[in-house]
Amino acid sequence: MNITIAIPKGFLHDGSYQYLASLGINLQIEKDNRALMFYDRKNNIKGLLVRPNDVNAYVEHGSADLGIVGLDLIKEQNPDVVKLKDLNFGNCKLVFAVKEDSKYKNINDLPANITIATKFTRLANDFINKTGISADIIKLYGSIELAPIIKLSDAIIDLVATGKTLTANRLISLETILESSAILIANPVAFKIKKSKLLNF
Amino acid sequence: MKKILRNPKGSKDWLPDEVIKQDHVKNILSSVFELWGYRPIQTPILINWDTLQVGSNKLSDIAFKLIGQQGELLGLRADLTTPIARVTAERLQNQALPFRFYYIGKVFRYHARHTTNERELYQIGIELIGAKEGASDLECLKILIDSLEKLNIKDYLVLFNHTNIWNELFNYFGDIAKDLYKALSQKDFIRFNSILENSNLSKNERSFWKTLVTIKGGKSAVQDFKNLLKKLKNFNLTKIFMYLNPVFELFDKKNAEIDFSLTSDLDYYTGIYFEVLTPNLGRVIGSGGRYDLLITKFGYDVPAIGFQLCVEDLLLVLEKQGKVFSTFKPPKLIPLNKNLKATFNTITKLHRQKKHATLKLT
């Protein structure tokens, strides 16, 4: 296969397929594999279906030439990859949120030594340093909204697309930390060796 | 149970079979260098922190810093070019030029690489000191290509560019060219494009930059670049084109290509700079370039050029290519005779015939 592209499961999956389809690329499952690899024989392209968190690793190490990943994960993992293009789908925001009935209406109101639950520890630390709030971070891997409800944390830093999950869990955003969307990335060596091909994406 | 003590993060042991592989690479490369008249040089691992800082900010940022018993600041060398520049200025000022040196040695970095945890790596390379830009650049490139071919690295690609191309762009465009350069060195095309969109450059100038980053290749790439320059008024690069002619004459068919948007990894290059890629590894396996001002910083005004290859990466590439390395040949085991002297004589006889033999110990 000439070009290998890492495609994330989950939130960016459908958009990634639509984006590739718009380029005339149609990845199909072939029998005898566990539906983790897809092929477009006509265009000589192989797709790898991976967890969103792993796209950067596949591309950084050169196992995939290209990958589609959220800007949030690029900023969080800081991989050594070429950031080729903003694909303008999968828009979402990384927000700092507290409980709706919280007495804190602004991040400047926050007391010292609050705890923040998040998946994004690097971005959370950057936020703490930038704003000067004093906080401790609890790393969670999912269902972040639960943390303030059961008083595991005072606040959360998490991604929101529509805000429905926040509202449903009676949380309210105090500040947007990052506006994210799907980014096309490339391995730096593959980008140079296959430049003319990869620039068509 | 007794606790097993381990190596610090990012360091590793080389067991005998791995050292054999390492030697394979070292032997091939040192014989290429020696055929070209290069001589081995060694410098200390421990260096004064000032030496490190004089050399390169980028390197001193990732170097190990140590404090001596009297409180003096020391460091571990983070490259070999800097200490060789220092020794040249310190001890070799009155000798006939040029110097042709080659080295094999470890470098130490907190973050040797982005993608792995390694903190010490073997570098092997050459420095050609005391010859100004011109034929010496071609010699250096030729030795690099000889090295890659002798090692049998398949489908390698040597990409190069010249600092004067960027300097002329900085002169012509001013700060925006510096911002664009920075975006490219951070591999960020999203930022690169947004700088262009938000600039007051003319349509022609924008399209100049957008095309520039796509041009890469042999002689034809230079022609593409010349055509592209017509978009700019009074922008002259005749000198660079004169310089590039012999490069293409010699290496056009040898997987050496110019990449006009290539940025340099180190901050001390002052002429041609290049990097080595292979489709078998997702990172650059070697790099080099001209550094005419580095030795001057140590007090001796001589020009120089050199390159380095990473031994660990060369081995990874060779293994991915399916290279089979020679393995350890077990020696003949000679049983202990009551007369130990006779046993040793037997072994010595075999050794004279270049046969491997040793004691059979129970």
Side-chain angles (χ1 to χ4, degrees), chain B residues 145 149 153-160 251-257:
Chain B
I145 286 166
E149 303 230 319
I153 303 285
K154 288 176 190 150
D155 304 318
Y156 65 83
L157 178 64
V158 178
L159 284 181
F160 58 89
F251 306 121
D252 204 20
K253 300 262 148 47
K254 287 288 184 191
N255 299 345
E257 295 183 353

Side-chain angles (χ1 to χ4, degrees), chain A residues 1-136:
Chain A
M1 285 296 129
N2 236 321
I3 291 173
T4 303
I5 175 163
I7 298 160
K9 298 176 183 175
F11 186 54
L12 297 180
H13 180 262
D14 292 351
S16 300
Y17 262 76
Q18 278 162 25
Y19 162 70
L20 292 172
S22 76
L23 300 172
I25 297 164
N26 185 16
L27 295 165
Q28 303 279 347
I29 309 176
E30 292 182 357
K31 53 182 179 192
D32 299 336
N33 67 47
R34 290 173 48 234
L36 295 174
M37 292 205 275
F38 300 78
Y39 298 89
D40 179 335
R41 299 275 171 192
K42 198 176 90 216
N43 292 305
N44 232 349
I45 292 172
K46 179 162 80 179
L48 308 174
L49 189 63
V50 304
R51 285 184 53 133
N53 276 310
D54 297 337
V55 172
N56 283 323
Y58 280 90
V59 176
E60 189 174 44
H61 289 272
S63 302
D65 303 313
L66 291 172
I68 296 172
V69 62
L71 182 66
D72 52 306
L73 282 170
I74 294 180
K75 298 272 184 198
E76 175 66 21
Q77 298 176 347
N78 195 22
D80 186 19
V81 294
V82 180
K83 290 121 219 153
L84 267 182
K85 201 187 239 178
D86 188 340
L87 298 176
N88 292 315
F89 69 83
N91 294 62
C92 57
K93 289 190 280 191
L94 187 72
V95 300
F96 179 92
V98 293
K99 286 206 311 196
E100 235 169 42
D101 54 8
S102 158
K103 58 183 180 217
Y104 312 120
K105 304 294 174 212
N106 185 297
I107 61 154
N108 298 321
D109 301 340
L110 297 169
N113 305 324
I114 59 159
T115 54
I116 304 170
T118 187
K119 273 190 255 186
F120 298 88
T121 50
R122 182 199 290 246
L123 286 168
N125 272 312
D126 289 351
F127 179 72
I128 290 169
N129 287 334
K130 211 176 95 195
T131 53
I133 59 175
S134 123
D136 215 13

Side-chain angles (χ1 to χ4, degrees), chain B residues 66-74:
Chain B
L66 307 174
I67 295 168
Q69 288 195 323
Q70 314 297 326
E72 70 275 27
L73 272 184
L74 302 166

